[in-house]
Amino acid sequence: PISGVSLWAQPPRAQVALGDHLVLSCVLAAGPLSFSWHWGNSGALLGTSPRLELHHVGHNDSGWYQCRVSNGDSVTKSDPLNVTVL
C-alpha cells in the first residue's frame, strides 16, 4: 500500500492574489507511480503529473485541491488543500 503523500503549495498557505501563479506539488518517496489532480466536490480531473500549475489564477480557482497517487495496485489521496484567491 502507498502512504505518506504530501501536498505542497507555492505561494505558502495556498493564498494567491488574483491573476498570480500557483504551483501545487504532490510528493511521495517511491515509484513508479501515477498521479492525478482533482478539484472540489466534483472530483474534476485537472492533471496527471506530480506538479499542477495554474497560470493567471481567477476567483473560480478557489477551493479544495487533492492529489491522488497510484502504484497500479492501490490508490492513496493527499489531505485536501484549500486554495484561497485573494
Side-chain angles (χ1 to χ4, degrees):
I2 302 171
S3 63
V5 176
S6 299
L7 183 54
W8 300 92
Q10 183 62 34
R13 297 184 314 278
Q15 292 183 341
V16 58
L18 183 64
D20 278 357
H21 187 86
L22 172 68
V23 177
L24 301 178
S25 296
C26 193
V27 180
L28 183 71
L33 303 168
S34 62
F35 296 85
S36 63
W37 288 95
H38 303 270
W39 180 79
N41 292 333
S42 70
L45 179 64
L46 301 175
T48 57
S49 73
R51 183 172 156 139
L52 177 67
E53 292 190 46
L54 303 176
H55 300 277
H56 306 290
V57 172
H59 289 295
N60 58 347
D61 292 312
S62 288
W64 293 93
Y65 288 78
Q66 186 175 58
C67 175
R68 297 178 189 170
V69 181
S70 172
N71 64 1
D73 294 323
S74 62
V75 175
T76 192
K77 301 174 186 179
S78 68
D79 290 334
L81 176 70
N82 188 27
V83 171
T84 304
V85 178
L86 306 173

